[in-house]
């Protein structure tokens, strides 16, 4: 004998009921089959009762629609053979009409009527399933649980009267052998009233009838492949759990995994009946087997959230060392019939907090106020507060017990996702740690924690600003690496927004077709940031590939919100000190490796030196590929202006070559290096030698290009003054913070002299690298290598967020 329970989603319409019958008939065992109402019917019935009680005439149309739905289903299932069933349904709905009419005369919801009516959906659905089985030539009979299942309704829910129920069942079955189709959800009280087992109670019915029929297993059929590591509607990456212990399943169900009702477990646990959660729409899948055995190889099996909660807290010095305060709080809650979801009391005993249902919050508060009115009057208790909009998040797994580090993993994942924890509880069994958080954070928290325990990939939502050369190269590199990062590192990088200076595109779930999306709406960086920091994704990064100072003004607010910022844009790093300093203190990560030397690891090298305790004595470098090119070729044979023109033609200069020749760009990079070193250097502190003669600095570009040969004489003079050395445009930092940028003569064998035409090179002289400095050298400009520097920063951010790279 095997018990099966089919949920509302499995019997939603004729086609689905057909699948249920297929499943039943394909199995050889003896069966007891518990069914829910057709999906949505219980809600609809409750609504009809309320409407009738409010004398809202819409109940008539609602009733008719419900009748139609069942009649249509019967006809679709049985064709011509449906007549007796449709006649019976018509009779059922006529009497329901009379009940609702009576309800509307009473004018207020009567519990008895509500209980009776809300359970009718199961009466009808079981008739449909039973008829469908018999229509296929198989044996089947119906069992109305209201005739056999006797319960006591208490504050703890419906308590089964096993002996009475068993006795009635035996009497009943004597006359009805074969496959039995049972109404879920409904029962009768000891005093003979029709009642229900509470919302979603059919799972409980399934377990009860499995016990009453001494079934070997209980198969709970729904629309998912069993129990998943999180609610798949909230975490699409949730993974299937093959096995759970009863206690794990209880914790998951209690904290909101709707796939199983928590009460289900009790009758099954007592009799060691395994529960198998399965998918009606995917019957070949083995589902999740829930049984007594524990598998502790994996610490955390699942994560759940549960919303609609509130925190009640009681504060005051009057509770310190006073026995019985907690008891009085809980007595007050019991008096108000409020059930407590989580409890927490700090060791100072200065406050007691508990999590309750939001709908109970007001009655709970009033009851506690009343109970402590004397202490409140005398200020021994200073405050009784209620915070609404709370959610509970629980991580569950038998393998957590005795294994250190689980809580820290949980809290690290929450912190990285910027989720504030309000209250913490861990049961002594250590198979559940639960936290109370703001309901608004629930989805993000769930996903972050799910990924934090490597149950799914780390998902990072990315916004790209400035889809120019570097931006486009970055985009292409990320697209090319995506599937590999997902497969090998569980890292899911999703570019979800792209903004130019005037237009932008916001996409969901991400830009997929490999090309930059058309920018289809007006740019609005506030809307852009809000989209990137989606509530359902744990981490957000904005990559700024623009060269705009105005965009850099936004970094501070983004970082403050927990959005990480990565950029090759030098403005923030070299701009006003106050802005820069603030960025460094924000909670989001701010990375800008590509601002100096593009993809070359210059800033990371400097950081590594400093973080490991080295002392930087000097930093010298060639930080402009353009100027490196010019001085590589400047040997006096050709005039300097001819080399500038050649560099322009090769695309090595900015459109206006003065942007390179002025040295301002190099000075900005030097400021970034100096600040990384801990010096409070600004652009105005840099002693800068511009190669643009003062008279040419302000003239229009065409005039400048005409008068370019005016550079030749002074440059030739510099070269001969160098007396056989080569000229290099060098940026230099000396300990103490002195920063200079300008032309220097170097011997041919100097590290800064021996470089390839467009290389960047930086030489660090430090306490450790004193006699033989550390040199980083290589191509230091161009979209591909700059984008690589940005991408590498992105991976560093991801690693800090918990990705396994
Ligand atoms: P039924 O109608 O069969 O009773 P329910 O809607 O009550 O089905 O329960 C199944 C639903 O539970 C799934 O569709 C899924 O959205 C939700 N669910 C929530 N948490 C989980 C989880 N951890 N694993 C599987 N499903 C879950
Ligand atoms: N039909 C009932 C409800 O919706 C019981 C169930 O489906 O489990 O609550
Ligand atoms: Mg259900």
């Amino acid at each position: 004998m095997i018990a099966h329970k089919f949920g509302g989603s499995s019997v939603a319409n004729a086609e689905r009921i057909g699948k249920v019958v297929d499943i039943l008939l394909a199995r050889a065992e003896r069966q007891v089959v518990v069914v829910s109402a057709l999906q949505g019917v219980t809600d609809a019935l409750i609504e009809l009762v309320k409407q009738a009680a409010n004398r809202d005439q819409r109940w008539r149309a609602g009733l008719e629609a419900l009748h139609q739905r069942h009649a249509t289903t019967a006809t679709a299932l049985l064709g011509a053979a449906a007549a007796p069933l449709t006649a019976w349904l018509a009779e059922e709905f006529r009497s329901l009409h009379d009940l609702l009419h009576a309800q509307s005369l009473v004018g207020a919801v009567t519990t008895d009527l509500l209980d009776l009516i809300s359970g009718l959906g199961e009466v009808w659905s079981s008739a449909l399933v039973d008829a469908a089985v018999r229509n296929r030539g198989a044996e089947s009979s119906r069992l109305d649980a209201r005739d056999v299942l006797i319960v006591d309704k208490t504050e703890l829910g419906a308590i089964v009267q096993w002996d009475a129920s068993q006795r009635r069942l035996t009497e009943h079955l004597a006359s009805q052998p074969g496959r039995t189709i049972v109404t879920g959800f409904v029962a009768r009280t000891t005093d003979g009233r029709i009642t229900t087992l509470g919302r979603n109670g059919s799972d409980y019915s399934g377990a009860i009838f499995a016990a009453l029929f001494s079934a070997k297993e209980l198969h709970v059929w729904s629309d998912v492949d069993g129990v998943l590591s999180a609610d798949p509607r909230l975490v699409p990456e949730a993974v299937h759990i093959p096995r759970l212990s009863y206690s794990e399943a209880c914790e998951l169900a209690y904290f909101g995994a709707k796939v199983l009702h928590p009460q289900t477990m009790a009758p099954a646990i007592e009799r060691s009946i395994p529960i198998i959660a399965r998918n009606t729409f995917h019957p070949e899948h083995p589902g999740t087997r829930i049984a007594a055995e524990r598998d502790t190889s994996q610490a955390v099996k699942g994560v759940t959230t549960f919303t609609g909660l509130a925190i009640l807290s009681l504060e005051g010095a009057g509770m310190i060392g006073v026995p019985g305060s907690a008891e009085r709080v809980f007595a007050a809650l019991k008096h108000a019939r409020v059930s407590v979801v989580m409890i927490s009391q700090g060791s100072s005993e200065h406050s007691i907090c508990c999590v309750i249902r939001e709908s109970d919050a007001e009655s709970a508060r009033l009851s506690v106020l009343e109970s402590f009115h004397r202490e409140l009057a005398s200020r021994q208790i200073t405050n009784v507060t209620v915070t609404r909009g709370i959610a509970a998040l629980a991580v569950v797994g038998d393998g957590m017990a005795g294994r250190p580090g689980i809580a820290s993993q949980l809290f690290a994942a929450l912190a990285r996702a910027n989720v504030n924890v309000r209250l913490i509880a861990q049961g002594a069994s250590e198979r559940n740690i639960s936290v109370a958080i703001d309901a608004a954070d629930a989805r993000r928290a769930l996903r972050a924690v799910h990924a934090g325990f490597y149950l799914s990939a780390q998902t990072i939502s990315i916004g790209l600003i400035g889809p120019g050369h570097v931006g486009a190269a970055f985009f292409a590199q990320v697209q090319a690496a995506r599937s590999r990062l997902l497969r090998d590192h569980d890292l899911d990088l999703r570019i979800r927004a792209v903004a130019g200076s005037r237009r932008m595109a916001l996409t969901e779930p991400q830009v997929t077709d490999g090309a930059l999306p058309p920018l289809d709406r007006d740019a609005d960086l506030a809307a852009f940031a809000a989209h990137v920091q989606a509530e359902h994704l744990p981490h957000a990064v904005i990559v700024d590939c623009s060269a705009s100072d105005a965009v850099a003004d936004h970094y501070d607010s983004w970082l403050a919100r927990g959005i990480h910022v990565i950029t090759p844009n030098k403005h923030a790093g070299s701009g006003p000190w106050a802005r820069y300093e603030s960025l460094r203190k924000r909670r989001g990560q701010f990375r800008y490796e590509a601002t100096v030397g593009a993809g070359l690891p210059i800033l990371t090298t400097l950081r590594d030196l400093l973080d490991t305790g080295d002392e930087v004595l000097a930093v010298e470098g060639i930080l402009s590929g353009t100027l490196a090119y010019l001085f590589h070729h400047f040997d006096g044979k050709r005039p300097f202006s001819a080399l500038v023109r050649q560099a322009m033609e090769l695309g090595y200069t900015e459109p206006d070559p003065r942007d390179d020749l002025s040295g301002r760009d190099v000075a900005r990079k030097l400021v970034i290096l100096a600040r990384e070193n801990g010096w409070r250097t600004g652009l105005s502190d840099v002693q800068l030698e511009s190669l643009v003669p003062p008279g040419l600095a302000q003239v229009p570009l065409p005039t400048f290009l005409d008068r370019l040969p005016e550079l030749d004489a002074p440059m030739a003079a510099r070269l001969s003054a160098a007396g056989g050395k080569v000229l290099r445009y060098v940026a230099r930092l000396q300990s103490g913070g002195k920063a200079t940028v300008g032309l220097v003569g170097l011997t041919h064998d100097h590290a800064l002299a021996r470089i390839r035409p467009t290389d960047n090179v930086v030489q660090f002289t430090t306490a450790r690298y004193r006699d033989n400095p550390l040199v980083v050298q290589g191509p230091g400009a161009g979209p591909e290598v700059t984008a690589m520097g940005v991408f590498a920063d992105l991976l560093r951010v991801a690693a800090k967020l918990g990705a396994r790279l």
Side-chain angles (χ1 to χ4, degrees):
M1 171 68 71
I2 302 281
H4 295 269
K5 178 263 168 175
F6 290 90
S9 54
S10 300
V11 293
N13 53 40
E15 189 207 333
R16 295 187 176 189
I17 294 176
K19 288 194 199 305
V20 169
V21 177
D22 290 342
I23 290 171
L24 292 176
L25 299 195
R27 303 178 60 99
E29 81 262 343
R30 286 178 59 220
Q31 294 168 344
V32 53
V33 182
V34 175
V35 294
S36 289
L38 311 203
Q39 196 165 36
V41 167
T42 312
D43 287 332
L45 286 168
I46 293 171
E47 186 59 27
L48 289 184
V49 175
K50 286 190 186 150
Q51 284 174 342
N54 288 333
R55 306 206 168 101
D56 173 345
Q57 291 304 318
R58 281 177 301 175
W59 69 263
R60 294 173 190 279
L63 179 70
E64 187 46 36
L66 214 50
H67 184 185
Q68 275 309 315
R69 181 174 171 194
H70 285 83
T72 318
T73 309
T75 318
L77 278 171
L78 309 173
L85 187 55
T86 45
W88 174 78
L89 280 169
E91 192 48 49
E92 282 283 305
F93 276 88
R94 236 186 321 274
S95 53
L96 175 55
H97 175 279
D98 294 347
L99 289 173
L100 289 168
H101 181 64
Q103 180 66 82
S104 75
L105 293 178
V106 176
V109 174
T110 35
T111 328
D112 281 355
L113 267 185
L114 180 65
D115 281 358
L116 169 64
I117 294 174
S118 60
L120 290 175
E122 273 70 7
V123 176
W124 306 326
S125 66
S126 59
L128 287 166
V129 172
D130 169 60
V133 172
R134 282 187 287 108
N135 194 48
R136 299 265 292 266
E139 240 190 292
S140 167
S141 62
R142 281 183 64 204
L143 174 59
D144 188 333
R146 298 175 300 185
D147 296 337
V148 293
L149 178 55
I150 308 296
V151 298
D152 255 350
K153 291 283 269 202
T154 73
E155 277 167 28
L156 294 172
I159 310 286
V160 179
Q161 299 303 303
W162 291 102
D163 291 340
S165 302
Q166 195 78 62
R167 217 174 315 113
R168 286 178 172 239
L169 180 68
T170 319
E171 283 165 20
H172 216 85
L173 285 185
S175 56
Q176 294 184 321
R179 178 183 286 109
T180 312
I181 314 290
V182 185
T183 51
F185 189 41
V186 290
R188 196 175 288 270
T189 59
T190 349
D191 55 3
R193 280 190 332 107
I194 287 174
T195 189
T196 68
L197 302 180
R199 290 313 307 270
N200 293 305
S202 293
D203 288 342
Y204 190 26
S205 308
I208 294 169
F209 281 94
L212 288 173
F213 277 78
S214 307
K216 248 178 42 221
E217 288 174 350
L218 166 62
H219 295 228
V220 175
W221 297 84
S222 180
D223 58 354
V224 272
D225 289 338
V227 184
L228 306 185
S229 53
D231 185 339
R233 286 165 303 187
L234 303 178
V235 183
E237 299 81 6
V239 292
H240 171 250
I241 308 176
R243 284 164 180 280
L244 282 172
S245 70
Y246 287 128
S247 40
E248 286 172 327
C250 283
E251 300 282 356
L252 284 172
Y254 179 72
F255 280 96
K258 196 190 160 205
V259 65
L260 279 179
H261 194 255
Q263 266 181 330
T264 321
M265 254 62 73
I269 297 174
E270 281 161 27
R271 293 163 186 81
S272 301
I273 302 172
I275 303 170
I276 298 139
R278 313 187 57 173
N279 191 345
T280 302
F281 310 103
H282 192 192
E284 21 344 309
H285 194 287
T288 299
R289 186 183 168 84
I290 301 163
E293 301 86 54
R294 292 170 200 273
D295 161 20
T296 55
S297 58
Q298 185 188 352
V300 169
K301 297 251 176 64
V303 193
T304 56
T305 49
F306 184 178
T307 51
L309 302 175
I311 293 178
L312 174 85
S313 98
L314 186 70
E315 273 171 48
M319 288 184 294
I320 300 178
V322 179
S325 307
E327 188 193 346
R328 283 175 59 200
V329 174
F330 297 114
L333 294 177
K334 173 169 187 281
H335 184 69
R337 296 172 167 271
V338 171
S339 94
V340 177
V341 179
M342 284 166 66
I343 303 170
S344 159
Q345 174 176 22
S347 59
S348 78
E349 299 180 51
H350 183 262
S351 72
I352 297 178
C353 301
C354 59
V355 176
I356 55 181
R357 288 195 171 68
E358 201 163 7
S359 52
D360 288 337
E362 195 47 26
S363 49
R365 193 179 70 90
L366 293 176
S367 179
V368 170
L369 280 177
E370 192 187 315
S371 166
F372 285 89
H373 72 274
R374 248 186 289 127
E375 288 82 352
L376 280 157
S378 65
R379 309 286 304 151
Q380 284 168 292
I381 302 281
T382 46
N383 231 340
V384 176
T385 53
V386 163
T387 315
R388 290 164 182 274
I390 296 295
L393 176 146
V395 295
V396 171
D398 288 332
M400 289 172 16
R403 192 183 303 210
I406 302 297
S408 86
Q409 220 174 327
L410 168 65
F411 293 115
L414 290 170
R416 288 186 305 244
N418 214 353
V419 175
N420 180 38
V421 173
R422 290 173 167 274
L423 190 146
I424 303 166
Q426 170 173 351
S429 70
E430 293 187 52
R431 69 173 66 94
N432 170 341
I433 305 178
S434 18
V435 294
I437 58 180
D438 288 342
D441 291 338
R443 200 158 168 207
R444 201 172 73 250
L446 179 65
R447 299 187 62 137
V449 170
H450 193 264
F453 284 101
Y454 303 114
L455 296 171
S456 62
Q458 281 288 355
T459 305
I460 299 189
S461 164
I462 302 166
L464 169 63
I465 299 177
H469 292 306
V470 174
F474 167 76
F475 180 84
Q477 289 178 9
V478 171
Q479 297 298 318
R482 253 189 67 73
S483 51
R484 179 180 51 80
L485 290 169
L486 189 57
R487 187 191 62 224
D488 296 347
H489 300 283
D490 277 341
L491 176 61
D492 186 1
L493 297 181
R494 296 196 196 162
I495 298 184
R496 298 175 60 252
V498 177
S501 52
R502 278 183 293 277
R503 308 279 289 168
M504 68 177 185
L506 308 180
T507 60
E508 200 67 84
Q510 61 181 304
V511 181
T512 41
D513 61 2
L516 278 164
L519 305 186
D520 54 5
R521 62 181 91 187
D522 289 337
D524 167 0
L525 285 184
F528 178 88
H531 181 79
V532 173
Q533 194 174 35
E535 162 255 336
H536 63 280
L537 295 173
H539 309 297
V541 174
I542 291 180
V543 175
D544 172 23
C545 292
S546 77
S548 154
D549 193 43
V551 175
D553 273 337
H554 291 275
Y555 295 174
D556 196 54
S557 68
W558 293 338
L559 292 165
R561 287 164 62 173
I563 301 177
H564 311 287
V565 176
I566 297 171
T567 187
N569 174 352
K570 289 179 274 293
H571 282 287
S574 62
W577 175 260
R579 180 172 74 181
Y580 173 81
E581 197 184 25
S582 169
L583 300 182
R584 301 302 304 260
K585 291 187 188 138
R586 295 299 184 190
R587 54 176 310 145
Q589 300 182 52
F590 174 43
R591 290 192 174 262
Y592 40 87
E593 175 63 77
T595 52
V596 182
L600 297 180
I602 294 175
L603 294 174
T604 11
T605 303
L606 177 55
R607 275 255 62 85
D608 285 350
L609 291 171
L610 295 168
D611 291 346
T612 57
D614 204 349
E615 183 197 351
V616 173
L617 305 174
V619 182
E620 280 172 296
I622 292 180
L623 300 174
S624 156
T626 316
L627 295 171
Y629 174 86
L630 291 175
F631 289 102
H632 182 81
H633 291 288
F634 186 47
D635 52 9
K637 295 199 183 92
R638 273 193 294 166
F640 193 72
S641 60
L643 293 172
V644 174
R645 281 192 214 284
Q646 184 180 339
M648 279 185 77
E649 277 157 26
L650 289 170
Y652 289 169
T653 67
E654 294 296 320
D656 184 340
R658 283 174 294 185
D659 290 343
D660 301 301
L661 295 169
S662 70
R664 259 187 95 72
D665 191 54
V666 174
R668 284 193 180 280
K669 295 178 186 173
L670 192 64
V671 168
I672 293 172
L673 276 166
R675 288 178 177 179
E676 204 63 25
N677 212 359
W679 295 325
R680 194 179 169 140
T681 309
L683 262 185
S684 57
D685 300 319
V686 179
Q687 242 178 60
L688 173 64
E689 177 192 5
S690 169
L691 302 183
V692 182
L696 295 184
Q698 302 299 334
V699 300
L701 178 59
T703 318
F704 172 70
L705 294 177
D706 283 345
R707 292 172 61 187
L708 205 52
E710 288 179 28
L711 269 70
D712 293 341
M715 292 309 285
R718 291 297 294 270
L719 186 60
S720 64
K725 293 183 175 172
V726 294
L727 287 181
R728 291 291 184 258
Y729 195 75
V730 172
R732 227 180 223 156
L733 279 180
Q734 279 154 287
S735 57
K738 185 164 185 255
T740 53
V741 171
L743 272 182
V744 294
L746 298 174
T747 54
H748 288 272
D749 59 349
H750 191 281
L752 302 190
R754 291 171 311 171
I755 61 170
R756 270 176 292 272
T758 55
D759 271 2
N760 277 13
V761 55
V762 173
Q763 165 171 301
F764 296 100
T765 310
T766 69
R768 286 186 203 132
Y769 293 93
R770 188 191 291 267
D771 301 327
N772 193 6
L774 172 62
V775 177
V776 181
Q777 176 180 348
E784 286 296 325
V785 295
T786 308
M788 172 255 158
V790 175
F791 195 179
D793 269 348
L794 176 60
L795 296 180
R796 279 188 276 268
V797 167
K800 263 204 163 174
L801 293 175
R804 284 189 284 207
L805 282 158

